[in-house]
PDB file of all heavy atoms in Angstrom:
ATOM      1  N   LEU S 495      87.840 135.631  69.794  1.00 98.00           N
ATOM      2  CA  LEU S 495      86.791 134.619  69.732  1.00 98.00           C
ATOM      3  C   LEU S 495      85.656 134.888  70.711  1.00 98.00           C
ATOM      4  O   LEU S 495      84.516 134.509  70.454  1.00 98.00           O
ATOM      5  CB  LEU S 495      87.377 133.229  70.029  1.00 98.00           C
ATOM      6  CG  LEU S 495      88.441 132.692  69.083  1.00 98.00           C
ATOM      7  CD1 LEU S 495      88.779 131.255  69.458  1.00 98.00           C
ATOM      8  CD2 LEU S 495      87.992 132.776  67.635  1.00 98.00           C
ATOM      9  N   HIS S 496      85.969 135.521  71.843  1.00 98.00           N
ATOM     10  CA  HIS S 496      84.971 135.678  72.900  1.00 98.00           C
ATOM     11  C   HIS S 496      84.947 137.108  73.424  1.00 98.00           C
ATOM     12  O   HIS S 496      85.909 137.869  73.262  1.00 98.00           O
ATOM     13  CB  HIS S 496      85.277 134.722  74.058  1.00 98.00           C
ATOM     14  CG  HIS S 496      85.099 133.281  73.714  1.00 98.00           C
ATOM     15  ND1 HIS S 496      83.887 132.646  73.792  1.00 98.00           N
ATOM     16  CD2 HIS S 496      85.989 132.342  73.272  1.00 98.00           C
ATOM     17  CE1 HIS S 496      84.031 131.372  73.428  1.00 98.00           C
ATOM     18  NE2 HIS S 496      85.295 131.168  73.119  1.00 98.00           N
ATOM     19  N   LYS S 497      83.852 137.442  74.092  1.00 97.00           N
ATOM     20  CA  LYS S 497      83.678 138.769  74.682  1.00 97.00           C
ATOM     21  C   LYS S 497      84.146 138.814  76.131  1.00 97.00           C
ATOM     22  O   LYS S 497      84.131 139.878  76.759  1.00 97.00           O
ATOM     23  CB  LYS S 497      82.205 139.180  74.604  1.00 97.00           C
ATOM     24  CG  LYS S 497      81.670 139.281  73.182  1.00 97.00           C
ATOM     25  CD  LYS S 497      80.235 139.755  73.144  1.00 97.00           C
ATOM     26  CE  LYS S 497      79.267 138.703  73.672  1.00 97.00           C
ATOM     27  NZ  LYS S 497      79.223 137.519  72.777  1.00 97.00           N
ATOM     28  N   ALA S 498      84.528 137.661  76.663  1.00 97.00           N
ATOM     29  CA  ALA S 498      84.981 137.594  78.058  1.00 97.00           C
ATOM     30  C   ALA S 498      86.134 136.598  78.151  1.00 97.00           C
ATOM     31  O   ALA S 498      86.595 136.055  77.146  1.00 97.00           O
ATOM     32  CB  ALA S 498      83.827 137.193  78.975  1.00 97.00           C
ATOM     33  N   ARG S 499      86.599 136.355  79.353  1.00 97.00           N
ATOM     34  CA  ARG S 499      87.765 135.513  79.613  1.00 97.00           C
ATOM     35  C   ARG S 499      87.563 134.088  79.071  1.00 97.00           C
ATOM     36  O   ARG S 499      86.571 133.423  79.360  1.00 97.00           O
ATOM     37  CB  ARG S 499      88.016 135.458  81.114  1.00 97.00           C
ATOM     38  CG  ARG S 499      89.248 134.702  81.534  1.00 97.00           C
ATOM     39  CD  ARG S 499      89.386 134.684  83.052  1.00 97.00           C
ATOM     40  NE  ARG S 499      89.866 135.963  83.555  1.00 97.00           N
ATOM     41  CZ  ARG S 499      89.122 136.850  84.215  1.00 97.00           C
ATOM     42  NH1 ARG S 499      87.833 136.596  84.433  1.00 97.00           N
ATOM     43  NH2 ARG S 499      89.634 137.966  84.652  1.00 97.00           N
ATOM     44  N   VAL S 500      88.522 133.617  78.266  1.00 98.00           N
ATOM     45  CA  VAL S 500      88.521 132.238  77.791  1.00 98.00           C
ATOM     46  C   VAL S 500      89.097 131.367  78.901  1.00 98.00           C
ATOM     47  O   VAL S 500      90.202 131.599  79.382  1.00 98.00           O
ATOM     48  CB  VAL S 500      89.351 132.079  76.498  1.00 98.00           C
ATOM     49  CG1 VAL S 500      89.300 130.628  76.008  1.00 98.00           C
ATOM     50  CG2 VAL S 500      88.838 133.015  75.412  1.00 98.00           C
ATOM     51  N   ARG S 501      88.355 130.317  79.300  1.00 98.00           N
ATOM     52  CA  ARG S 501      88.778 129.508  80.426  1.00 98.00           C
ATOM     53  C   ARG S 501      89.345 128.144  80.026  1.00 98.00           C
ATOM     54  O   ARG S 501      90.097 127.535  80.775  1.00 98.00           O
ATOM     55  CB  ARG S 501      87.595 129.302  81.386  1.00 98.00           C
ATOM     56  CG  ARG S 501      87.147 130.580  82.070  1.00 98.00           C
ATOM     57  CD  ARG S 501      88.200 131.126  83.010  1.00 98.00           C
ATOM     58  NE  ARG S 501      88.424 130.253  84.129  1.00 98.00           N
ATOM     59  CZ  ARG S 501      87.848 130.385  85.317  1.00 98.00           C
ATOM     60  NH1 ARG S 501      87.009 131.390  85.539  1.00 98.00           N
ATOM     61  NH2 ARG S 501      88.105 129.538  86.289  1.00 98.00           N
ATOM     62  N   ASP S 502      88.964 127.636  78.850  1.00 98.00           N
ATOM     63  CA  ASP S 502      89.470 126.315  78.457  1.00 98.00           C
ATOM     64  C   ASP S 502      89.348 126.158  76.950  1.00 98.00           C
ATOM     65  O   ASP S 502      88.475 126.765  76.310  1.00 98.00           O
ATOM     66  CB  ASP S 502      88.678 125.219  79.170  1.00 98.00           C
ATOM     67  CG  ASP S 502      89.394 123.868  79.168  1.00 98.00           C
ATOM     68  OD1 ASP S 502      90.578 123.816  78.771  1.00 98.00           O
ATOM     69  OD2 ASP S 502      88.767 122.865  79.558  1.00 98.00           O
ATOM     70  N   MET S 503      90.240 125.338  76.388  1.00 98.00           N
ATOM     71  CA  MET S 503      90.230 125.058  74.951  1.00 98.00           C
ATOM     72  C   MET S 503      90.693 123.622  74.724  1.00 98.00           C
ATOM     73  O   MET S 503      91.537 123.115  75.462  1.00 98.00           O
ATOM     74  CB  MET S 503      91.186 125.987  74.183  1.00 98.00           C
ATOM     75  CG  MET S 503      90.941 127.459  74.336  1.00 98.00           C
ATOM     76  SD  MET S 503      92.068 128.450  73.332  1.00 98.00           S
ATOM     77  CE  MET S 503      93.660 128.044  74.083  1.00 98.00           C
ATOM     78  N   LYS S 504      90.143 122.990  73.699  1.00 98.00           N
ATOM     79  CA  LYS S 504      90.586 121.660  73.307  1.00 98.00           C
ATOM     80  C   LYS S 504      90.524 121.549  71.784  1.00 98.00           C
ATOM     81  O   LYS S 504      89.623 122.110  71.149  1.00 98.00           O
ATOM     82  CB  LYS S 504      89.698 120.571  73.915  1.00 98.00           C
ATOM     83  CG  LYS S 504      89.726 120.463  75.427  1.00 98.00           C
ATOM     84  CD  LYS S 504      91.037 119.935  75.941  1.00 98.00           C
ATOM     85  CE  LYS S 504      90.975 119.612  77.443  1.00 98.00           C
ATOM     86  NZ  LYS S 504      90.588 120.742  78.275  1.00 98.00           N
ATOM     87  N   PHE S 505      91.488 120.812  71.198  1.00 98.00           N
ATOM     88  CA  PHE S 505      91.397 120.481  69.786  1.00 98.00           C
ATOM     89  C   PHE S 505      90.571 119.222  69.617  1.00 98.00           C
ATOM     90  O   PHE S 505      90.665 118.284  70.435  1.00 98.00           O
ATOM     91  CB  PHE S 505      92.792 120.261  69.184  1.00 98.00           C
ATOM     92  CG  PHE S 505      93.494 121.528  68.788  1.00 98.00           C
ATOM     93  CD1 PHE S 505      94.422 122.123  69.631  1.00 98.00           C
ATOM     94  CD2 PHE S 505      93.228 122.128  67.568  1.00 98.00           C
ATOM     95  CE1 PHE S 505      95.067 123.291  69.272  1.00 98.00           C
ATOM     96  CE2 PHE S 505      93.875 123.298  67.192  1.00 98.00           C
ATOM     97  CZ  PHE S 505      94.796 123.883  68.046  1.00 98.00           C
ATOM     98  N   LEU S 506      89.751 119.166  68.577  1.00 96.00           N
ATOM     99  CA  LEU S 506      89.075 117.926  68.233  1.00 96.00           C
ATOM    100  C   LEU S 506      90.107 116.904  67.795  1.00 96.00           C
ATOM    101  O   LEU S 506      91.206 117.269  67.336  1.00 96.00           O
ATOM    102  CB  LEU S 506      88.044 118.172  67.133  1.00 96.00           C
ATOM    103  CG  LEU S 506      86.886 119.113  67.503  1.00 96.00           C
ATOM    104  CD1 LEU S 506      85.929 119.264  66.328  1.00 96.00           C
ATOM    105  CD2 LEU S 506      86.145 118.629  68.735  1.00 96.00           C
ATOM    106  N   PRO S 507      89.830 115.604  67.902  1.00 94.00           N
ATOM    107  CA  PRO S 507      90.840 114.575  67.625  1.00 94.00           C
ATOM    108  C   PRO S 507      91.437 114.670  66.224  1.00 94.00           C
ATOM    109  O   PRO S 507      90.702 114.724  65.242  1.00 94.00           O
ATOM    110  CB  PRO S 507      90.050 113.260  67.794  1.00 94.00           C
ATOM    111  CG  PRO S 507      88.887 113.612  68.663  1.00 94.00           C
ATOM    112  CD  PRO S 507      88.537 115.030  68.338  1.00 94.00           C
ATOM    113  N   ASN S 508      92.786 114.731  66.167  1.00 94.00           N
ATOM    114  CA  ASN S 508      93.515 114.762  64.886  1.00 94.00           C
ATOM    115  C   ASN S 508      92.924 115.789  63.936  1.00 94.00           C
ATOM    116  O   ASN S 508      92.704 115.513  62.744  1.00 94.00           O
ATOM    117  CB  ASN S 508      93.502 113.373  64.248  1.00 94.00           C
ATOM    118  CG  ASN S 508      94.126 112.321  65.142  1.00 94.00           C
ATOM    119  OD1 ASN S 508      95.222 112.506  65.678  1.00 94.00           O
ATOM    120  ND2 ASN S 508      93.420 111.210  65.328  1.00 94.00           N
ATOM    121  N   SER S 509      92.682 116.969  64.444  1.00 96.00           N
ATOM    122  CA  SER S 509      91.975 117.989  63.682  1.00 96.00           C
ATOM    123  C   SER S 509      92.626 119.348  63.875  1.00 96.00           C
ATOM    124  O   SER S 509      93.315 119.598  64.864  1.00 96.00           O
ATOM    125  CB  SER S 509      90.507 118.037  64.136  1.00 96.00           C
ATOM    126  OG  SER S 509      89.823 119.129  63.568  1.00 96.00           O
ATOM    127  N   ASN S 510      92.372 120.248  62.921  1.00 97.00           N
ATOM    128  CA  ASN S 510      92.782 121.638  63.048  1.00 97.00           C
ATOM    129  C   ASN S 510      91.761 122.467  63.813  1.00 97.00           C
ATOM    130  O   ASN S 510      91.987 123.648  64.060  1.00 97.00           O
ATOM    131  CB  ASN S 510      92.958 122.264  61.652  1.00 97.00           C
ATOM    132  CG  ASN S 510      94.021 121.566  60.822  1.00 97.00           C
ATOM    133  OD1 ASN S 510      95.057 121.171  61.340  1.00 97.00           O
ATOM    134  ND2 ASN S 510      93.754 121.394  59.535  1.00 97.00           N
ATOM    135  N   VAL S 511      90.636 121.856  64.153  1.00 97.00           N
ATOM    136  CA  VAL S 511      89.519 122.594  64.750  1.00 97.00           C
ATOM    137  C   VAL S 511      89.679 122.667  66.269  1.00 97.00           C
ATOM    138  O   VAL S 511      89.829 121.647  66.950  1.00 97.00           O
ATOM    139  CB  VAL S 511      88.179 121.946  64.385  1.00 97.00           C
ATOM    140  CG1 VAL S 511      87.026 122.662  65.082  1.00 97.00           C
ATOM    141  CG2 VAL S 511      87.976 121.981  62.868  1.00 97.00           C
ATOM    142  N   LEU S 512      89.618 123.888  66.770  1.00 98.00           N
ATOM    143  CA  LEU S 512      89.736 124.177  68.199  1.00 98.00           C
ATOM    144  C   LEU S 512      88.357 124.523  68.744  1.00 98.00           C
ATOM    145  O   LEU S 512      87.591 125.253  68.106  1.00 98.00           O
ATOM    146  CB  LEU S 512      90.688 125.353  68.411  1.00 98.00           C
ATOM    147  CG  LEU S 512      90.966 125.809  69.850  1.00 98.00           C
ATOM    148  CD1 LEU S 512      91.912 124.836  70.530  1.00 98.00           C
ATOM    149  CD2 LEU S 512      91.555 127.219  69.846  1.00 98.00           C
ATOM    150  N   VAL S 513      88.044 124.017  69.934  1.00 98.00           N
ATOM    151  CA  VAL S 513      86.796 124.365  70.616  1.00 98.00           C
ATOM    152  C   VAL S 513      87.150 125.118  71.888  1.00 98.00           C
ATOM    153  O   VAL S 513      87.955 124.640  72.695  1.00 98.00           O
ATOM    154  CB  VAL S 513      85.961 123.116  70.945  1.00 98.00           C
ATOM    155  CG1 VAL S 513      84.689 123.519  71.696  1.00 98.00           C
ATOM    156  CG2 VAL S 513      85.614 122.362  69.673  1.00 98.00           C
ATOM    157  N   SER S 514      86.556 126.292  72.079  1.00 98.00           N
ATOM    158  CA  SER S 514      86.854 127.119  73.247  1.00 98.00           C
ATOM    159  C   SER S 514      85.580 127.425  74.019  1.00 98.00           C
ATOM    160  O   SER S 514      84.487 127.491  73.446  1.00 98.00           O
ATOM    161  CB  SER S 514      87.538 128.419  72.834  1.00 98.00           C
ATOM    162  OG  SER S 514      86.707 129.164  71.951  1.00 98.00           O
ATOM    163  N   VAL S 515      85.739 127.607  75.345  1.00 98.00           N
ATOM    164  CA  VAL S 515      84.621 128.022  76.203  1.00 98.00           C
ATOM    165  C   VAL S 515      85.074 129.218  77.026  1.00 98.00           C
ATOM    166  O   VAL S 515      86.247 129.362  77.355  1.00 98.00           O
ATOM    167  CB  VAL S 515      84.127 126.887  77.117  1.00 98.00           C
ATOM    168  CG1 VAL S 515      83.558 125.751  76.292  1.00 98.00           C
ATOM    169  CG2 VAL S 515      85.242 126.379  78.031  1.00 98.00           C
ATOM    170  N   SER S 516      84.095 130.054  77.381  1.00 98.00           N
ATOM    171  CA  SER S 516      84.436 131.335  77.983  1.00 98.00           C
ATOM    172  C   SER S 516      83.448 131.710  79.064  1.00 98.00           C
ATOM    173  O   SER S 516      82.365 131.128  79.196  1.00 98.00           O
ATOM    174  CB  SER S 516      84.453 132.409  76.887  1.00 98.00           C
ATOM    175  OG  SER S 516      84.439 133.711  77.418  1.00 98.00           O
ATOM    176  N   GLU S 517      83.819 132.717  79.832  1.00 98.00           N
ATOM    177  CA  GLU S 517      82.923 133.263  80.837  1.00 98.00           C
ATOM    178  C   GLU S 517      81.750 134.014  80.226  1.00 98.00           C
ATOM    179  O   GLU S 517      80.831 134.423  80.945  1.00 98.00           O
ATOM    180  CB  GLU S 517      83.700 134.148  81.806  1.00 98.00           C
ATOM    181  CG  GLU S 517      84.690 133.365  82.663  1.00 98.00           C
ATOM    182  CD  GLU S 517      85.423 134.212  83.667  1.00 98.00           C
ATOM    183  OE1 GLU S 517      85.083 135.417  83.797  1.00 98.00           O
ATOM    184  OE2 GLU S 517      86.331 133.690  84.341  1.00 98.00           O
ATOM    185  N   ASP S 518      81.746 134.193  78.898  1.00 98.00           N
ATOM    186  CA  ASP S 518      80.573 134.777  78.237  1.00 98.00           C
ATOM    187  C   ASP S 518      79.481 133.741  77.984  1.00 98.00           C
ATOM    188  O   ASP S 518      78.429 134.058  77.428  1.00 98.00           O
ATOM    189  CB  ASP S 518      80.965 135.476  76.929  1.00 98.00           C
ATOM    190  CG  ASP S 518      81.607 134.543  75.903  1.00 98.00           C
ATOM    191  OD1 ASP S 518      81.534 133.304  76.067  1.00 98.00           O
ATOM    192  OD2 ASP S 518      82.189 135.050  74.926  1.00 98.00           O
TER     193      ASP S 518
END
Side-chain angles (χ1 to χ4, degrees):
L495 298 186
H496 292 275
K497 298 183 290 293
R499 184 181 284 107
V500 181
R501 293 294 294 264
D502 198 9
M503 303 183 296
K504 295 290 189 303
F505 277 97
L506 297 180
N508 301 311
S509 172
N510 299 321
V511 176
L512 181 76
V513 178
S514 59
V515 296
S516 165
E517 293 183 6
D518 60 14

